[in-house]
Amino acid sequence: MTSGVAAEPTRGSVPAVPAAVHVLRDLALSCARAAAVRAAIVLGIADTVGDEPMPLATLAQAVEADPSTLHRLLRALATFGVFTVTDDGACAHNDASRLLRTDAERTMKHMVLWTTEPWAWTVWPHLDKAVRAGGDVFTALHGREFFDYLHAEAPESAAVFDQAMTQSSRLSVNAVVDQLDLGDHQVLADVGGGQGSVLAAALERHPTARGALLDLPGVLGNADPRLRPGGALADRAELVACDSIDAVPVRADVYLLKNVLEWDDESTVRTLRNVVASAAPGARVLVVENLLDGSPELGFTTAMDLLLLCNVGGRKHTAAGLEGLCARAGLRVTGIRAVNSYLHLIEATVDPA
Ligand SMILES: C[S@@+](CC[C@H](N)C(=O)[O-])C[C@H]1O[C@@H](n2cnc3c(N)ncnc32)[C@H](O)[C@@H]1O
């Protein structure tokens, strides 16, 4: 039985806890935030709640959850800024929760899923070891390198990853295509281009251009239907399965590497050298990245930098860092410009030998 007495809001007269304590308490439990938002997707809450607030009992029945524990999850999510929830547990969408819906135009469902996949939780406790060793911890934990593991042992996770990349690229595709400046009849090679949404948009924008999508074989199987045999762009597109660290087997006028050069520096330089080896003299190489300097979302970029360290021994870059890696590969950087509020494009040239 409850007394019906509501807790008084805390007043100025009670002892204050220093702000630094709040910072550390929130950080120490930040995994609960990631887990809660993942649970909202996996339980189907975001897809079940419609335009109107949904009573707790109706939602609990629809997602097959215990009403009382569902209420606790919803209260936590609302506190974190995802959904709004009334005292009696009725749940309504807000801007953030709507982006978790599968049918949202700019859905982030798979972006959230991939950074919270089961493998991700296995590496975080070993961040200290990655920092000591200066390399990944994934291989020692799982017996294979990250991308091998995804494709051989965790196909659902690989599919989540590929969709996440496509969803994330959708947010920037037009801005990236605006920057390509493809001439008539030029060939664009999108190295590590994922499912090819950027390449497809570029070929649609430039009707005389041809393109090649290069990625690991398991990724190309799910390439954008416009690029696959029978697709609207198939006669101007080639799908090239390769490991770009071994070879980039396409001669092109423009090479795009968007969010790809995020491995260890040696693999990045090898990929860039492979581009140089295949490229025509004067070819342009366009590297698109979230930089560690000039980023308005340093929290996201630095966290991703640590995740890349743990899973592939990789990193995010500063502009100067990327310029140095391009120089090691024999590329001359000719400019760095913003693509949108969070991506930069580093343009480099393959100089005549
Ligand atoms: C972060 S995703 C970026 C995908 C795409 N460029 C985009 O921006 O949406 C990195 C891509 O690199 C691909 N990749 C990773 N290692 C590779 C390798 N050794 N050779 C070719 N592609 C690779 C992955 O399969 C993935 O599609």
Short mmCIF file of all heavy atoms in Angstrom, two decimals, residues 235-270:
data_model
loop_
_atom_site.label_atom_id
_atom_site.label_comp_id
_atom_site.label_asym_id
_atom_site.label_seq_id
_atom_site.Cartn_x
_atom_site.Cartn_y
_atom_site.Cartn_z
N ASP A 235 24.54 -0.91 -65.81
CA ASP A 235 25.40 -0.87 -67.01
C ASP A 235 26.54 0.14 -66.86
O ASP A 235 27.46 0.16 -67.68
CB ASP A 235 24.57 -0.58 -68.27
CG ASP A 235 23.81 0.72 -68.15
OD1 ASP A 235 23.60 1.18 -67.01
OD2 ASP A 235 23.44 1.30 -69.19
N ARG A 236 26.50 0.97 -65.81
CA ARG A 236 27.61 1.92 -65.60
C ARG A 236 28.36 1.62 -64.31
O ARG A 236 29.20 2.40 -63.88
CB ARG A 236 27.06 3.36 -65.56
CG ARG A 236 26.53 3.83 -66.90
CD ARG A 236 26.26 5.33 -66.89
NE ARG A 236 25.06 5.69 -66.16
CZ ARG A 236 25.01 6.62 -65.21
NH1 ARG A 236 26.10 7.26 -64.86
NH2 ARG A 236 23.87 6.91 -64.61
N ALA A 237 28.03 0.49 -63.68
CA ALA A 237 28.63 0.20 -62.38
C ALA A 237 29.25 -1.18 -62.36
O ALA A 237 28.72 -2.12 -62.94
CB ALA A 237 27.56 0.28 -61.29
N GLU A 238 30.38 -1.26 -61.69
CA GLU A 238 31.07 -2.54 -61.55
C GLU A 238 31.18 -2.82 -60.05
O GLU A 238 31.51 -1.90 -59.28
CB GLU A 238 32.47 -2.36 -62.15
CG GLU A 238 33.19 -3.63 -62.50
CD GLU A 238 34.65 -3.29 -62.92
OE1 GLU A 238 34.95 -2.12 -63.16
OE2 GLU A 238 35.43 -4.22 -62.96
N LEU A 239 30.92 -4.05 -59.63
CA LEU A 239 31.09 -4.41 -58.22
C LEU A 239 32.39 -5.20 -58.12
O LEU A 239 32.54 -6.24 -58.77
CB LEU A 239 29.92 -5.27 -57.73
CG LEU A 239 28.52 -4.65 -57.89
CD1 LEU A 239 27.45 -5.56 -57.28
CD2 LEU A 239 28.45 -3.27 -57.26
N VAL A 240 33.34 -4.71 -57.35
CA VAL A 240 34.67 -5.33 -57.31
C VAL A 240 34.98 -5.78 -55.89
O VAL A 240 35.23 -4.96 -54.99
CB VAL A 240 35.74 -4.32 -57.79
CG1 VAL A 240 37.11 -4.97 -57.78
CG2 VAL A 240 35.40 -3.79 -59.18
N ALA A 241 34.94 -7.09 -55.68
CA ALA A 241 35.26 -7.63 -54.36
C ALA A 241 36.77 -7.60 -54.17
O ALA A 241 37.50 -8.10 -55.02
CB ALA A 241 34.74 -9.06 -54.24
N CYS A 242 37.23 -6.98 -53.11
CA CYS A 242 38.68 -6.96 -52.88
C CYS A 242 38.96 -6.61 -51.42
O CYS A 242 38.09 -6.12 -50.70
CB CYS A 242 39.35 -5.91 -53.77
SG CYS A 242 38.95 -4.22 -53.33
N ASP A 243 40.19 -6.91 -51.03
CA ASP A 243 40.70 -6.42 -49.76
C ASP A 243 41.62 -5.26 -50.13
O ASP A 243 42.70 -5.48 -50.68
CB ASP A 243 41.46 -7.54 -49.03
CG ASP A 243 42.00 -7.08 -47.68
OD1 ASP A 243 42.23 -5.85 -47.52
OD2 ASP A 243 42.18 -7.92 -46.81
N SER A 244 41.20 -4.05 -49.85
CA SER A 244 41.94 -2.88 -50.35
C SER A 244 43.32 -2.77 -49.73
O SER A 244 44.17 -2.05 -50.25
CB SER A 244 41.14 -1.60 -50.08
OG SER A 244 41.02 -1.41 -48.69
N ILE A 245 43.54 -3.50 -48.63
CA ILE A 245 44.88 -3.45 -48.02
C ILE A 245 45.86 -4.28 -48.87
O ILE A 245 47.06 -4.05 -48.87
CB ILE A 245 44.82 -3.95 -46.56
CG1 ILE A 245 43.85 -3.06 -45.76
CG2 ILE A 245 46.20 -3.95 -45.90
CD1 ILE A 245 43.46 -3.61 -44.40
N ASP A 246 45.30 -5.22 -49.64
CA ASP A 246 46.14 -6.02 -50.55
C ASP A 246 46.22 -5.38 -51.94
O ASP A 246 47.27 -5.36 -52.57
CB ASP A 246 45.57 -7.44 -50.71
CG ASP A 246 45.70 -8.22 -49.43
OD1 ASP A 246 46.56 -7.87 -48.60
OD2 ASP A 246 44.92 -9.17 -49.23
N ALA A 247 45.09 -4.88 -52.44
CA ALA A 247 45.07 -4.29 -53.78
C ALA A 247 43.79 -3.50 -53.99
O ALA A 247 42.76 -3.82 -53.40
CB ALA A 247 45.13 -5.40 -54.85
N VAL A 248 43.91 -2.47 -54.82
CA VAL A 248 42.73 -1.70 -55.25
C VAL A 248 42.69 -1.82 -56.76
O VAL A 248 43.23 -0.99 -57.49
CB VAL A 248 42.86 -0.21 -54.81
CG1 VAL A 248 41.72 0.64 -55.37
CG2 VAL A 248 42.88 -0.10 -53.28
N PRO A 249 42.08 -2.91 -57.26
CA PRO A 249 42.29 -3.28 -58.67
C PRO A 249 41.39 -2.54 -59.66
O PRO A 249 40.79 -3.17 -60.54
CB PRO A 249 41.98 -4.78 -58.65
CG PRO A 249 40.98 -4.94 -57.56
CD PRO A 249 41.24 -3.87 -56.55
N VAL A 250 41.31 -1.23 -59.55
CA VAL A 250 40.47 -0.46 -60.48
C VAL A 250 41.20 0.83 -60.86
O VAL A 250 41.68 1.55 -59.99
CB VAL A 250 39.11 -0.11 -59.83
CG1 VAL A 250 38.36 0.93 -60.66
CG2 VAL A 250 38.25 -1.35 -59.64
N ARG A 251 41.28 1.09 -62.17
CA ARG A 251 41.85 2.36 -62.63
C ARG A 251 40.71 3.36 -62.74
O ARG A 251 39.73 3.11 -63.44
CB ARG A 251 42.51 2.14 -63.99
CG ARG A 251 43.36 3.31 -64.46
CD ARG A 251 44.08 2.90 -65.75
NE ARG A 251 44.88 3.94 -66.34
CZ ARG A 251 46.14 4.20 -65.98
NH1 ARG A 251 46.73 3.51 -65.03
NH2 ARG A 251 46.82 5.16 -66.58
N ALA A 252 40.85 4.48 -62.07
CA ALA A 252 39.75 5.46 -62.05
C ALA A 252 40.32 6.87 -62.09
O ALA A 252 41.52 7.09 -61.88
CB ALA A 252 38.91 5.28 -60.80
N ASP A 253 39.44 7.83 -62.38
CA ASP A 253 39.85 9.24 -62.37
C ASP A 253 39.72 9.84 -60.98
O ASP A 253 40.45 10.75 -60.61
CB ASP A 253 38.96 10.04 -63.34
CG ASP A 253 39.01 9.45 -64.74
OD1 ASP A 253 40.08 9.50 -65.35
OD2 ASP A 253 37.97 8.92 -65.20
N VAL A 254 38.72 9.34 -60.24
CA VAL A 254 38.48 9.86 -58.90
C VAL A 254 38.28 8.67 -57.96
O VAL A 254 37.51 7.74 -58.26
CB VAL A 254 37.20 10.75 -58.86
CG1 VAL A 254 36.96 11.29 -57.46
CG2 VAL A 254 37.32 11.90 -59.86
N TYR A 255 39.00 8.69 -56.84
CA TYR A 255 38.84 7.64 -55.82
C TYR A 255 38.21 8.29 -54.59
O TYR A 255 38.69 9.33 -54.13
CB TYR A 255 40.19 7.04 -55.43
CG TYR A 255 40.81 6.22 -56.54
CD1 TYR A 255 41.51 6.85 -57.56
CD2 TYR A 255 40.66 4.84 -56.58
CE1 TYR A 255 42.06 6.13 -58.60
CE2 TYR A 255 41.21 4.10 -57.63
CZ TYR A 255 41.90 4.75 -58.64
OH TYR A 255 42.44 4.01 -59.67
N LEU A 256 37.15 7.67 -54.09
CA LEU A 256 36.51 8.16 -52.87
C LEU A 256 36.77 7.14 -51.76
O LEU A 256 36.57 5.93 -51.97
CB LEU A 256 35.00 8.31 -53.11
CG LEU A 256 34.15 8.69 -51.88
CD1 LEU A 256 34.50 10.09 -51.39
CD2 LEU A 256 32.66 8.62 -52.22
N LEU A 257 37.23 7.62 -50.62
CA LEU A 257 37.40 6.73 -49.45
C LEU A 257 36.68 7.41 -48.29
O LEU A 257 37.21 8.33 -47.66
CB LEU A 257 38.88 6.51 -49.13
CG LEU A 257 39.67 5.83 -50.25
CD1 LEU A 257 40.60 6.83 -50.94
CD2 LEU A 257 40.48 4.66 -49.71
N LYS A 258 35.43 7.03 -48.06
CA LYS A 258 34.64 7.71 -47.04
C LYS A 258 34.52 6.84 -45.79
O LYS A 258 34.01 5.70 -45.87
CB LYS A 258 33.24 8.02 -47.59
CG LYS A 258 32.32 8.65 -46.57
CD LYS A 258 31.01 9.10 -47.18
CE LYS A 258 30.04 9.49 -46.10
NZ LYS A 258 29.60 8.38 -45.25
N ASN A 259 35.02 7.36 -44.71
CA ASN A 259 35.00 6.63 -43.43
C ASN A 259 35.57 5.22 -43.57
O ASN A 259 35.00 4.24 -43.07
CB ASN A 259 33.58 6.57 -42.84
CG ASN A 259 33.09 7.93 -42.39
OD1 ASN A 259 32.10 8.44 -42.90
ND2 ASN A 259 33.80 8.56 -41.47
N VAL A 260 36.68 5.12 -44.28
CA VAL A 260 37.31 3.82 -44.51
C VAL A 260 38.70 3.77 -43.88
O VAL A 260 39.09 2.75 -43.32
CB VAL A 260 37.43 3.56 -46.04
CG1 VAL A 260 38.17 2.26 -46.30
CG2 VAL A 260 36.06 3.53 -46.67
N LEU A 261 39.42 4.88 -43.94
CA LEU A 261 40.82 4.87 -43.48
C LEU A 261 40.85 4.99 -41.96
O LEU A 261 41.38 5.94 -41.39
CB LEU A 261 41.60 6.01 -44.15
CG LEU A 261 41.58 5.97 -45.67
CD1 LEU A 261 42.33 7.15 -46.26
CD2 LEU A 261 42.16 4.64 -46.19
N GLU A 262 40.26 4.00 -41.33
CA GLU A 262 40.10 4.06 -39.88
C GLU A 262 40.71 2.83 -39.21
O GLU A 262 40.36 2.45 -38.11
CB GLU A 262 38.60 4.19 -39.54
CG GLU A 262 38.02 5.47 -40.13
CD GLU A 262 36.52 5.66 -39.92
OE1 GLU A 262 35.85 4.69 -39.49
OE2 GLU A 262 36.03 6.77 -40.17
N TRP A 263 41.60 2.14 -39.99
CA TRP A 263 42.33 1.02 -39.40
C TRP A 263 43.59 1.55 -38.74
O TRP A 263 43.78 2.76 -38.62
CB TRP A 263 42.78 0.04 -40.48
CG TRP A 263 41.80 -0.44 -41.48
CD1 TRP A 263 40.83 -1.38 -41.28
CD2 TRP A 263 41.70 -0.06 -42.87
NE1 TRP A 263 40.16 -1.61 -42.46
CE2 TRP A 263 40.67 -0.82 -43.44
CE3 TRP A 263 42.40 0.82 -43.68
CZ2 TRP A 263 40.30 -0.72 -44.78
CZ3 TRP A 263 42.03 0.93 -45.02
CH2 TRP A 263 41.02 0.17 -45.55
N ASP A 264 44.53 0.63 -38.43
CA ASP A 264 45.87 1.04 -38.01
C ASP A 264 46.53 1.79 -39.18
O ASP A 264 46.18 1.58 -40.34
CB ASP A 264 46.70 -0.19 -37.63
CG ASP A 264 46.81 -1.14 -38.80
OD1 ASP A 264 45.81 -1.79 -39.16
OD2 ASP A 264 47.88 -1.20 -39.41
N ASP A 265 47.49 2.66 -38.85
CA ASP A 265 48.06 3.54 -39.88
C ASP A 265 48.72 2.75 -41.02
O ASP A 265 48.68 3.17 -42.18
CB ASP A 265 49.10 4.48 -39.25
CG ASP A 265 48.40 5.59 -38.45
OD1 ASP A 265 47.16 5.66 -38.48
OD2 ASP A 265 49.12 6.36 -37.78
N GLU A 266 49.33 1.60 -40.68
CA GLU A 266 50.01 0.83 -41.72
C GLU A 266 49.01 0.37 -42.79
O GLU A 266 49.28 0.45 -43.99
CB GLU A 266 50.70 -0.39 -41.06
CG GLU A 266 52.03 -0.76 -41.65
CD GLU A 266 52.89 0.45 -42.06
OE1 GLU A 266 53.19 1.29 -41.19
OE2 GLU A 266 53.24 0.53 -43.26
N SER A 267 47.85 -0.11 -42.35
CA SER A 267 46.83 -0.56 -43.32
C SER A 267 46.30 0.60 -44.12
O SER A 267 46.00 0.47 -45.32
CB SER A 267 45.67 -1.25 -42.58
OG SER A 267 46.15 -2.33 -41.83
N THR A 268 46.17 1.76 -43.48
CA THR A 268 45.71 2.96 -44.20
C THR A 268 46.71 3.34 -45.29
O THR A 268 46.33 3.59 -46.44
CB THR A 268 45.51 4.12 -43.20
OG1 THR A 268 44.39 3.80 -42.39
CG2 THR A 268 45.28 5.44 -43.88
N VAL A 269 48.00 3.36 -44.94
CA VAL A 269 49.01 3.74 -45.93
C VAL A 269 49.05 2.70 -47.06
O VAL A 269 49.14 3.05 -48.25
CB VAL A 269 50.40 3.90 -45.27
CG1 VAL A 269 51.49 4.09 -46.31
CG2 VAL A 269 50.38 5.09 -44.31
N ARG A 270 48.92 1.42 -46.71
CA ARG A 270 48.94 0.40 -47.77
C ARG A 270 47.77 0.59 -48.73
O ARG A 270 47.92 0.49 -49.94
CB ARG A 270 48.89 -1.00 -47.15
CG ARG A 270 50.27 -1.43 -46.65
CD ARG A 270 50.24 -2.76 -45.94
NE ARG A 270 49.82 -3.84 -46.81
CZ ARG A 270 49.70 -5.10 -46.42
NH1 ARG A 270 49.99 -5.44 -45.16
NH2 ARG A 270 49.31 -6.03 -47.24
#
